[in-house]
Amino acid sequence: MKKLLLILYIAGLATAMQAQNSLGTGLSESLVDDSLRTVPNELQWPENVTARLDSLMNEPLLKKTQLGLMVYDLTADSAIYKQGEQQTLRPASAMKLVTAITAIDKLGGGYQFRTSLYYMGFIERNILRGNLYCVGGMDPRFNNDDMRAFVESIQKNGIDTICGRLIADTSMKDDTRLGEGWCWDDDNPSLTPLLIGKKDLFMEKFRQELNDAGIIVIDNEEAIAGNKTKNRPLIHLCSRFHSLDQVLMRMLKESDNLYAESVLYQIAASGGVKNASATHARQWINKLVSRIGLNPGEYKFADGSGLSLYNYVSAELLVSLLRYAYHNQNIYGQLYPALPVAGVDGTLEKRMKGAFTNGNVRAKTGTLTGISSLAGYCTAANGHQLAFAIINQGVLRNASGKTFQDKVCTALCEP
């Protein structure tokens, strides 16, 4: 009888323990993201992050798409996660990181995008007998205020009549107006050195401003007196400029394609060449890639914005450039403030508003049909600074790529 009671007691205890375990499991599962259920809580850095990222590799998205992922611990100076990091993939607008880092490295944050006004000839009795030259510097921030400054500089010299021509000097770059590999039916920016309000309307606007100011233009070479204007030097009237750090803010935070292409052509022209081309810019990008220890021949740099379907980079390359920038204060000091901030501004304003990522992740987004990317910096819970790059290729819904990237960033930032 005692033996029977003991058996019944043990059986009841086992049943109770099983029920308690089932209840506990149910509670814990309700509090943990499905993708992170298998991560043991007792793991320490960086094994805890590695385990979280390993669990994300089981996401259904990755069964049908390509992934390039790399995470580097800048504080410990070691890579903590790699998955397809050397695959060459289209970066979309993450290409702007390549352009920005190369530009700051080559030109410096104080570099100026300059548009200038000159004349050749002479002024007599309020008449300019000669031509006006508008010299383009591909400044994407040149606006109506800048144009009015041009007109005011003419008025200050007492000129009310121009017997000559208004000449657009666009020799800064070649005559291509579209980037290599751009889709013809996209809303592409026009790549002209003379811009106003981001549009190719400079000379039209200039003539209209002169007319509104009561300045008469007699657009006829025969109106110029004899040969007195020939072989005369150009005389400076006005210059308007904006600095690279100003341009970077919109280029990166808002992912402005024209701004990025303008930066690319500043790189191209920095060697002193006339009619600079994207090929000239690639030479400088290739030099930087070689300097950081990678082979530029393994990548394709078609444009500065990432619009091109011919761009091919890797997560490893993006992280290597981010590392290079991090260890160069002159670059990092310009790059970091210009990156979109998760949950705060730019193209990340509505993303990653969670407790660990909001205001923490600073990264460049990228979106094209079939491509979603994210690359930048974040701070882990232990205070370590991380650089990361994520490229999702072959995604039919960009939202799927963004969701995956947000999960990666959460895994990097949470305790």
Side-chain angles (χ1 to χ4, degrees), residues 95-110:
M95 182 66 195
K96 292 181 175 72
L97 284 175
V98 179
T99 306
I101 293 171
T102 304
I104 304 170
D105 185 56
K106 179 71 174 66
L107 308 172

Side-chain angles (χ1 to χ4, degrees), residues 360-386:
N360 181 358
V361 177
R362 289 179 178 250
K364 182 69 201 75
T365 57
T367 304
L368 279 176
T369 301
I371 307 294
S372 183
S373 58
L374 186 71
Y377 303 100
C378 65
T379 304
N382 65 350
H384 284 212
Q385 301 297 309
L386 308 179

Side-chain angles (χ1 to χ4, degrees), residues 219-409:
D219 194 351
N220 187 338
E221 285 287 354
E222 296 178 359
I224 301 175
N227 293 322
K228 291 182 180 180
T229 63
K230 289 186 177 181
N231 300 320
R232 286 176 176 262
L234 285 174
I235 299 173
H236 179 260
L237 281 173
C238 183
S239 286
R240 301 290 286 184
F241 57 85
H242 296 94
S243 62
L244 177 59
D245 57 356
Q246 291 177 303
V247 172
L248 286 175
M249 279 291 175
R250 182 178 177 93
M251 168 184 163
L252 296 177
K253 285 195 181 289
E254 304 301 328
S255 200
D256 192 295
N257 294 320
L258 175 61
Y259 276 53
E261 296 304 327
S262 296
V263 171
L264 183 76
Y265 279 96
Q266 306 304 316
I267 298 170
S270 64
V273 298
K274 286 287 187 180
N275 300 308
S277 67
T279 299
H280 292 111
R282 291 181 200 120
Q283 293 171 359
W284 294 107
I285 295 173
N286 289 340
K287 288 180 181 179
L288 177 56
V289 172
S290 295
R291 199 156 69 246
I292 63 176
L294 297 176
N295 179 6
E298 295 180 353
Y299 312 103
K300 173 67 175 178
F301 308 113
D303 66 7
S305 62
L307 277 175
S308 177
L309 299 180
Y310 298 164
N311 288 310
Y312 278 94
V313 305
S314 68
E316 179 184 50
L317 171 64
L318 294 178
V319 167
S320 297
L321 286 169
L322 290 167
R323 287 176 59 201
Y324 177 77
Y326 179 79
H327 290 294
N328 187 322
Q329 189 53 49
N330 291 331
I331 300 176
Y332 190 69
Q334 300 290 335
L335 178 69
Y336 190 74
L339 290 171
V341 183
V344 176
D345 65 17
T347 53
L348 286 180
E349 182 178 4
K350 297 181 180 180
R351 291 175 59 179
M352 292 183 278
K353 290 181 174 288
F356 306 112
T357 52
N358 189 76
N360 181 358
V361 177
R362 289 179 178 250
K364 182 69 201 75
T365 57
T367 304
L368 279 176
T369 301
I371 307 294
S372 183
S373 58
L374 186 71
Y377 303 100
C378 65
T379 304
N382 65 350
H384 284 212
Q385 301 297 309
L386 308 179
F388 66 88
I390 314 162
I391 305 176
N392 295 104
Q393 182 166 288
V395 289
L396 297 181
R397 294 179 63 253
N398 290 122
S400 301
K402 292 177 181 179
T403 298
F404 175 80
Q405 294 152 20
D406 292 356
K407 287 183 178 181
V408 169
C409 290

Side-chain angles (χ1 to χ4, degrees), residues 6 25 29 47 63 87 128 138 143 155 163 197 204 221 236 270 298 321 326 338 358-359 384:
L6 180 60
T25 301
E29 287 182 351
E47 286 78 15
K63 294 180 180 179
Q87 290 191 71
L128 169 61
M138 205 169 182
N143 56 29
Q155 292 174 316
C163 286
E204 177 183 330
E221 285 287 354
H236 179 260
S270 64
E298 295 180 353
L321 286 169
Y326 179 79
N358 189 76
H384 284 212

Side-chain angles (χ1 to χ4, degrees), residues 39 50 58 113 142 151 156 161 174 189 206 229 232 249 259 295 310 342 384 389 394 405 413:
V39 180
T50 299
N58 296 319
F113 294 63
F142 191 96
V151 175
K156 288 177 181 177
T161 303
D174 59 18
F206 185 41
T229 63
R232 286 176 176 262
M249 279 291 175
Y259 276 53
N295 179 6
Y310 298 164
H384 284 212
Q405 294 152 20
C413 296

Side-chain angles (χ1 to χ4, degrees), residues 33-35 55-63 403-404 407:
D33 189 310
D34 287 347
S35 60
S55 69
L56 290 176
M57 296 305 106
N58 296 319
E59 291 277 304
L61 173 73
L62 302 185
K63 294 180 180 179
T403 298
F404 175 80
K407 287 183 178 181

